[in-house]
Amino acid sequence: MTLGGLAERRPSQALPHPSAWYSVRYNGSMIHEIFPVGPLRCNCSIIGDETTREAMVIDPGDDIEDVLELIRKHTLQVKQIVITHAHIDHVGGAMKLRAATGAPILLNQNDYALLKMLDVQAAWIGVAAPGAVEIDQSLATGDTVKAGAHVASILHTPGHTEGSICLYFPFEKTLIAGDTLFAGSIGRTDLPGGSMQKIMKSLHGTVMALPDETVVVPGHGRLTSIGAERESNPFLAKS
């Protein structure tokens, strides 16, 4: 299965996607490590506060030893494990990370049914099933998550799955978009829990309402911005 196998609806002329890269971004005291994990190269994010050393990990789908190595590199203490949606490439390593750090796993409750299909999802992409994943707290619009002083608002953005969420850091002008929005594309909607009508409502009513300068970290592939997608994304650009 290709990189976008569980993730992306392909436009007729899709932008290229790098198979791997390593990125470190700093904004004030924020540590932001972005790196692809697992066979589908899910973008895992580590957000840390240089002052308090508190951190969150977003979408630890696989390669947990690499995640832990970066946590040790920055001497961070993981306080939350946040999952943007319950596809195996985003949630598959969450229980291993919880066992290693003691941090709770957070996911929107509308994706709990997908968690019961992880063995089926594993068969789709030809990987070993990760076993049961236990959720400690549900997340919904209006909730916040934080790593020290760096606070993100939760945006419930159904469409790719019923429980898909994005994380918006207003001070840093950064959106962790999961598989809702990509550079030049949007999340696919033909898997269980998907809906084209819902994803378009989420995109136009919630995601595209953010400022143009917002940096977008998608679930797979390269970074983009709200402004760039407003102008050129074939699913969103004005006609």
Side-chain angles (χ1 to χ4, degrees):
M1 183 169 285
T2 63
L3 175 149
L6 292 177
E8 180 180 347
R9 178 177 295 276
R10 297 279 186 172
S12 57
Q13 293 182 324
L15 295 177
H17 295 274
S19 59
W21 84 94
Y22 180 78
S23 175
V24 185
R25 296 179 60 246
Y26 292 89
N27 188 327
S29 67
M30 186 174 84
I31 299 166
H32 190 178
E33 298 267 13
I34 308 162
F35 54 102
V37 297
L40 300 190
R41 316 311 286 160
C42 164
N43 285 336
C44 176
S45 281
I46 297 174
I47 306 287
D49 186 318
E50 286 187 321
T51 301
T52 67
R53 316 315 294 184
E54 294 181 344
M56 74 175 78
V57 179
I58 304 165
D59 288 349
D62 204 343
D63 300 328
I64 298 306
E65 285 305 316
D66 294 338
V67 176
L68 292 171
E69 182 178 349
L70 284 169
I71 290 167
R72 290 190 291 266
K73 169 187 171 182
H74 293 291
T75 322
L76 297 173
Q77 183 178 8
V78 179
K79 294 294 188 179
Q80 295 175 318
I81 301 167
V82 183
I83 311 299
T84 61
H85 64 286
H87 281 158
I88 190 171
D89 53 327
H90 293 253
V91 73
M95 290 296 285
K96 290 182 181 179
L97 186 59
R98 186 175 77 163
T101 65
I105 302 173
L106 286 58
L107 171 78
N108 181 272
Q109 64 182 1
N110 290 298
D111 265 7
Y112 286 4
L114 276 178
L115 288 179
K116 299 177 181 179
M117 296 177 57
L118 287 178
D119 55 343
V120 176
Q121 294 185 44
W124 288 346
I125 60 175
V127 299
V133 175
E134 301 172 5
I135 303 303
D136 298 291
Q137 180 184 335
S138 178
L139 290 174
T141 294
D143 292 337
T144 58
V145 292
K146 66 178 182 177
H150 307 290
V151 180
S153 299
I154 298 299
L155 309 176
H156 181 209
T157 54
H160 179 60
T161 68
E162 284 286 352
S164 287
I165 61 168
C166 298
L167 288 76
Y168 177 52
F169 292 84
F171 182 77
E172 294 80 9
K173 295 183 173 63
T174 297
L175 180 75
I176 311 295
D179 286 356
T180 296
L181 178 63
F182 297 96
S185 190
I186 63 174
R188 64 184 296 179
T189 58
D190 58 339
L191 295 172
S195 165
M196 176 58 90
Q197 181 180 7
K198 288 183 179 180
I199 200 171
M200 295 306 289
K201 182 177 180 180
S202 294
L203 287 163
H204 287 290
T206 301
V207 176
M208 301 310 292
L210 298 175
D212 282 352
E213 61 270 24
T214 303
V215 174
V216 177
V217 181
H220 304 261
R222 66 178 178 85
L223 277 59
T224 183
S225 70
I226 293 295
E229 298 312 301
R230 196 187 313 280
E231 292 299 320
S232 63
N233 189 310
F235 295 98
L236 301 171
K238 297 176 182 177
S239 56

